[in-house]
Amino acid sequence: MTPILFTVIVALVGLERLAELVVSNRNLAWARARGGQEYGAGHYPAMVLLHTGFLAAMLAEVWILRPPAPAWWGVALAGAVSAQALRWWCIRTLGHRWNTRVVVVPGLPLVDSGPYRWFAHPNYVAVVLEGVALPLIHGAWWTAVGFTLLNAVLLRTRLRVENAALQQASSSPGARPAARGE
């Protein structure tokens, strides 16, 4: 694994993130048109900053500190690819309901198919896996550890907000359980 090849991989992930934002914005408009209510918007800028900084930090670490790529970089690459596959499985399963914000559309049933059969928040499992695996493709340990710790703090907030939003939506009079949005 060379720094140039690693940069290409990170750039591809960056392009994937842009594709996610296109899907997210389209789905956010769909949710709002159906009365979707956003929860926890205050932490969203921190999430954007963390995830953008994650991509930049691993590139900076590789190009400035020049860590050697581990002999097992293929295992890390497989982990990063698996994280992407899980993320897109979540997106496909949630369909129009998926976006990068916490938005609940009243009256929609809770999704319990796809990866949601096994995990309450599989998209966040993908984020955690990617946060470790992607930087380790080229030995960017500082980024892997730093992102994981900062993401744990953010996920604690995010999960609290999301779970409260789902609980509130499902307990309102006459409402069916609300849809998950990750």
Side-chain angles (χ1 to χ4, degrees):
M1 176 62 58
T2 67
I4 292 172
L5 183 54
F6 180 70
T7 300
V8 169
I9 292 168
V10 173
L12 290 172
V13 171
L15 290 173
E16 187 274 335
R17 288 289 181 281
L18 292 175
E20 279 183 29
L21 288 176
V22 168
V23 172
S24 176
N25 287 335
R26 182 187 68 221
N27 291 345
L28 181 60
W30 179 90
R32 285 183 174 156
R34 285 155 182 79
Q37 181 179 356
E38 182 172 359
Y39 296 83
H43 74 270
Y44 188 74
M47 189 177 80
V48 170
L49 181 63
L50 179 62
H51 284 258
T52 303
F54 169 64
L55 298 176
M58 74 181 93
L59 289 176
E61 183 175 351
V62 165
W63 284 99
I64 294 169
L65 299 180
R66 299 285 186 165
W72 44 267
W73 66 265
V75 173
L77 179 62
V81 169
S82 296
Q84 298 305 323
L86 178 56
R87 176 178 287 114
W88 282 98
W89 188 17
C90 293
I91 292 169
R92 183 169 171 82
T93 300
L94 291 175
H96 290 295
R97 300 175 191 193
W98 181 88
N99 66 75
T100 58
R101 297 176 179 267
V102 178
V103 178
V104 176
V105 178
L108 293 179
L110 187 67
V111 173
D112 60 2
S113 60
Y116 295 89
R117 282 180 284 192
W118 300 292
F119 302 105
H121 302 282
N123 193 63
Y124 302 142
V125 172
V127 170
V128 170
L129 177 58
E130 180 187 66
V132 173
L134 187 59
L136 292 184
I137 293 170
H138 203 289
W141 288 95
W142 288 107
T143 302
V145 170
F147 176 81
T148 298
L149 293 174
L150 292 171
N151 191 52
V153 171
L154 182 63
L155 274 180
R156 182 175 174 209
T157 299
R158 180 81 171 191
L159 287 169
R160 188 178 66 247
V161 165
E162 188 168 317
N163 288 334
L166 292 171
Q167 179 63 34
Q168 181 180 348
S170 64
S171 65
S172 62
R176 299 184 319 184
R180 246 179 261 245
E182 301 184 322

